[in-house]
Amino acid sequence: MEDKYYPQQVEEKWQRIWEEKKSFRAVEDSSRPKYYVLEMFPYPSGRIHMGHVRVYAIGDVIARFKRMRGYNVLHPMGWDAFGLPAENAAIDRGVHPAKWTMENIAYMRDQLKKMGISYDWDREIATCEPEYYRWEQLIFIRMLERGLAYRKRATVNWCPSCRTVLANEQVEGGRCWRCESEVAKRDIDGWFFKITAYADELLEWCDRLTGWPERVITMQKNWIGRSEGAEFDLPVVGRPDLKVRVFTTRPDTVFGMTYAVLAPEHPLVDQLVSDPGQRAEVERFRAETLKQTEQERTAEDRPKRGLRLSARVTNPFNGAEIPLFIADYVLMIYGTGAIMAVPGEDQRDWDFAKKQGLDIIETVSRPGGWSGEAYAGDGVKINSGFLNGLTVADAKRRAIDWLAERGLGEAKINYRLRDWGISRQRYWGAPIPVLYCDKCGMVPEKEENLPVVLPRDVEISGKGGSPLADHPDFANASCPRCGGRARRETDTMDTFVESSWYFLRYCSPRYDKSMVERKAADYWMPVDQYIGGIEHAVLHLLYARFYAKVLRDLGIVTIDEPFKALLSQGMVVKDGAKMSKSKGNVVSDDVIREKYGADTGRLFELFAGPPEKDLDWNDQGVEGAYRFLTRLWRFTFHNREALISTGPRVSSDGLSGNLRNLHRQTHRTIKKVTEDIETRFHFNTAIAAVMELFNAVFTAAQNGAVTGPDGSVIKQALETIIVLLYPFVPHAASELWEGLNEATALDNVPWPAYSEAALEQEKLLIVVQVNGKVRGKITVSADSSGDSIEDAALADPKVKAFLAGKEILRVVQVPRRLVNVVLKG
RNA sequence: GCGAGAGUGGCGGAACUGGUAGACGCACUAGACUUAGGAUCUAGCGGGCAACCGUGGGGGUUCGAAUCCCCCCUCUCGCACCA
């Protein structure tokens, strides 16, 4: 131990030791409880900066803490290595995506090691390696066999800049999640995963994910968007061959139906419109609707535009013939693409009916009478034939029964969730393992031919379309079934497929018989604590849940959910914006390490606020963290010789005054730090408590001896500080520990326990209030009776001044804390 | 519009089940040591001369409210014509 704190030296030393001893290697051991802590793995896009470091620092505190608590900890790291930026780098700079990716990985791995994050590097994975994605291809084939993967032509989201399809979850406010370009619609053939088959289960399990933040659960529930209702037919007047099928969540309101609406692109429209004049109108209307950008369509108070068709439909409940429209406010993608309109109880229908001069019928009695807008609340049915007098809920059931009895319709549940489009018309992704044979049609690749390896020698021009299509050896293949000529699928899989199961692969990263070794998965899964940004609330986190359920049903794993608990950490903000390369406000980890060391960078980010909140970067705050470590270092070094020769203190016997207080505070700090880390991840208050203890040690050492019996209390407090700091600043803590000549390396020291006896207080500070306001403080011995405390409180001179001439109504006492004297008047 | 969360010193944030509001840190002020100090140490630091007033605003419950209830305001995030 040097007299001065040289963090770079210390950090290099301990990182080397950890690497040589493989200190953080995880080995299955059924005799010990396991703990799997995982941070969302990064995309190797270049370099890590202090904005990224936060999540890894949080994960590392948990990993190191749990190890000290006796858990067998799995804390792995890997790379989400497929994706567009690699391809864009290839286009911009002529470097191959594989080379670019691997160089970034090498650099970022080194950065993480230099931050001292305690990963088991033996388990490192990169998703772009065939040994990884071959299992994904195998699962794809299994999903294909079960109808969970399928191909269809569909209207999809198309990012013109990335030149690829995007899943619904990857469109944010009409823009591409990655490049923020405006997303267009395109009809295109592509592959889908049938996530909707699991909609109900994904929704149900939301309520069992008790370790997840409420807001993430809410977002997932809203995204799945389950609604119960009914589906039934409206016969077209004069056209016995045609009927309009509608979905409604309000089957109780059928008697208020005064018109019906089809989505402009509804296929039935063409059959209903025969008049050439109207046909032209319809075409014009459709063109205008399609022309609207996403932004126009989401503008506030967007007027609802519609076109009345000459055809009419019949309300099966009362035989009324009502007008039929096409309108832009009805969407083809939801329900049946057609609705019954009930302006009395639906505001959208109300707005449209007002504009078009259509009838409005109320079917629910309104508590406050007519209000001049739609009423969506509860009440008793009116104007509703056989439903009259029922509540809304009862009328819903009755209406559905009525439909079912007559075979006209049925109860129906609809979801907002759409199937996951996974085809990407890009190169740098996992190949989809199917072929198209002239004779046999679409054929999956044979399992023994997996992996279908992504070829390296391609020309990446950025001209559009997957470059794989121009690679003759890849695209031209023979049919696995008949051996004849076949063309290989040249779309690749969405990179979110790789990230949907990487946490499983960590359990047995080199296993070559399956995606994961069964006994490894049974031991390690599920992830006990997952940590990542909120931006994946409905992307990665929903896909991973879906994939886990698919793998369970395929017999690969036995878990229902991949992540037991989730911590959504806040962003690192600087100058009012999220720290990011594009905003130009990044703080380089290299600079921080050079100036202050990795420990200081970690300590600042963990101390500045609780992990779920955004964190404001503050250069002076970093100084403060550094100052604390320097102070601790200096203190330890100066008193080192004395402390080494001092025996350890274990019990509080025979201690009094300040030393007894310091001894008590030491144990109280252990308790507080343990609880703050364990139950709520509030590292900021844990660190604050350690700082307080250090301040107390500092004062005690100035006022008394550092050797002998006094010194033993100080020594114990200081060693406690060092041990408690280990999860936050592992290098400095290890070096300080070693400096005190401790025999065992700090990596193997168990987390300290506190003693209840040490926490006990001989004297209590009692706050005395008069009418709820603090008027005095008294010290009493802990075994004082309530009466004697009350007497002492009333006798306190400061309190007495407030009591003079007043009548005491009553005295409230909170044991061990407070006395409140209530006066009359 | 719907849903979720949050408003506490000059700043980041504490106060966990209602019980000393402002822990800890930053910034700031004064002093000490010093050739010097942006190092270190010591002391102070919500407002007000004071009585008192203070946790976005207004009511309420309570002996006692940052914390519980009602109304309102502001901000952040998510969804956004999903029938």
Side-chain angles (χ1 to χ4, degrees), chain A residues 25 165 182 307 314 445 508 511 548 561 744:
Chain A
R25 191 163 58 176
V165 169
E182 184 121 357
L307 178 68
T314 307
E445 183 56 89
S508 55
Y511 192 59
E561 288 284 342
T744 318

Side-chain angles (χ1 to χ4, degrees), chain A residues 181-202:
Chain A
S181 308
E182 184 121 357
V183 170
K185 295 286 176 190
R186 261 202 193 184
D187 281 324
I188 204 167
D189 286 318
W191 287 96
F192 289 84
F193 280 167
K194 204 167 184 179
I195 191 170
T196 54
Y198 288 86
D200 239 344
E201 200 196 331
L202 287 166

Side-chain angles (χ1 to χ4, degrees), chain A residues 589-609:
Chain A
D589 60 311
D590 296 321
V591 169
I592 292 296
R593 273 198 305 270
E594 225 167 89
K595 209 165 163 196
Y596 307 105
D599 281 334
T600 293
R602 294 167 57 127
L603 187 65
F604 164 70
E605 293 204 334
L606 294 163
F607 176 60

Side-chain angles (χ1 to χ4, degrees), chain A residues 304-574:
Chain A
K304 294 171 175 43
R305 299 170 330 114
L307 178 68
R308 187 171 185 150
L309 304 180
S310 50
R312 293 168 72 80
V313 292
T314 307
N315 179 349
F317 284 84
N318 58 10
E321 293 184 4
I322 54 173
L324 181 64
F325 287 80
I326 56 174
D328 56 2
Y329 79 98
V330 173
L331 310 172
M332 194 59 223
I333 52 160
Y334 188 76
T336 60
I339 61 156
M340 64 167 206
V342 184
E345 277 90 35
D346 184 288
Q347 193 57 43
R348 294 158 300 181
D349 296 344
W350 168 280
D351 294 342
F352 189 77
K354 277 284 167 191
K355 207 176 156 196
Q356 300 282 344
L358 298 159
D359 294 338
I360 296 172
I361 300 171
E362 293 173 71
T363 73
V364 183
S365 67
R366 302 177 179 218
W370 185 252
S371 58
E373 58 179 14
Y375 173 68
D378 220 334
V380 176
K381 299 307 297 184
I382 53 171
N383 303 326
S384 292
F386 66 92
L387 300 175
N388 278 337
L390 297 176
T391 63
V392 167
D394 288 340
K396 279 182 182 172
R397 278 189 288 271
R398 183 69 67 83
I400 290 170
D401 289 345
W402 190 92
L403 287 167
E405 282 160 19
R406 284 158 186 78
L408 297 170
E410 70 238 336
K412 172 87 184 177
I413 294 163
N414 253 314
Y415 296 94
R416 218 188 72 107
L417 183 70
R418 316 239 68 82
D419 277 343
W420 174 14
I422 59 140
S423 280
R424 295 292 177 271
Q425 292 67 35
R426 300 295 303 217
Y427 162 69
W428 190 236
I432 295 172
V434 301
L435 299 97
Y436 304 97
C437 169
D438 298 340
K439 269 189 266 169
C440 312
M442 192 273 290
V443 184
E445 183 56 89
K446 276 189 191 155
E447 283 179 23
E448 57 264 38
N449 291 344
L450 296 181
V452 176
V453 175
L454 185 70
R456 287 281 158 108
D457 53 335
V458 292
E459 176 134 10
I460 298 158
S461 62
K463 298 250 161 55
S466 170
L468 292 175
D470 301 326
H471 190 283
D473 295 343
F474 182 81
N476 302 323
S478 53
C479 173
R481 195 167 292 163
C482 71
R485 267 172 49 119
R487 194 175 50 79
R488 215 175 262 291
E489 172 63 78
T490 56
D491 281 356
T492 52
M493 281 192 250
D494 183 1
T495 55
F496 278 96
V497 181
E498 284 92 66
S499 56
S500 291
W501 65 279
Y502 75 106
F503 43 87
L504 261 184
R505 190 64 185 161
Y506 284 137
C507 297
S508 55
R510 314 285 171 249
Y511 192 59
D512 64 358
K513 307 220 162 28
S514 168
M515 178 174 246
V516 63
E517 189 180 7
R518 184 59 173 269
K519 76 175 196 337
D522 283 348
Y523 180 72
W524 292 114
M525 289 299 293
V527 174
D528 293 278
Q529 185 62 55
Y530 200 31
I531 310 158
I534 188 71
E535 66 271 18
H536 287 293
V538 285
L539 280 158
H540 162 59
L541 288 168
L542 188 64
Y543 295 146
R545 292 184 59 214
F546 157 67
Y547 215 80
K549 290 175 193 304
V550 170
L551 294 176
R552 177 202 59 195
D553 291 347
L554 291 172
I556 310 271
V557 293
T558 53
I559 49 155
D560 291 297
E561 288 284 342
F563 314 121
K564 199 168 160 188
L566 173 71
L567 176 61
S568 282
Q569 105 278 358
M571 327 181 270
V572 178
V573 173
K574 187 167 181 280

Side-chain angles (χ1 to χ4, degrees), chain A residues 58 444 648:
Chain A
I58 292 168

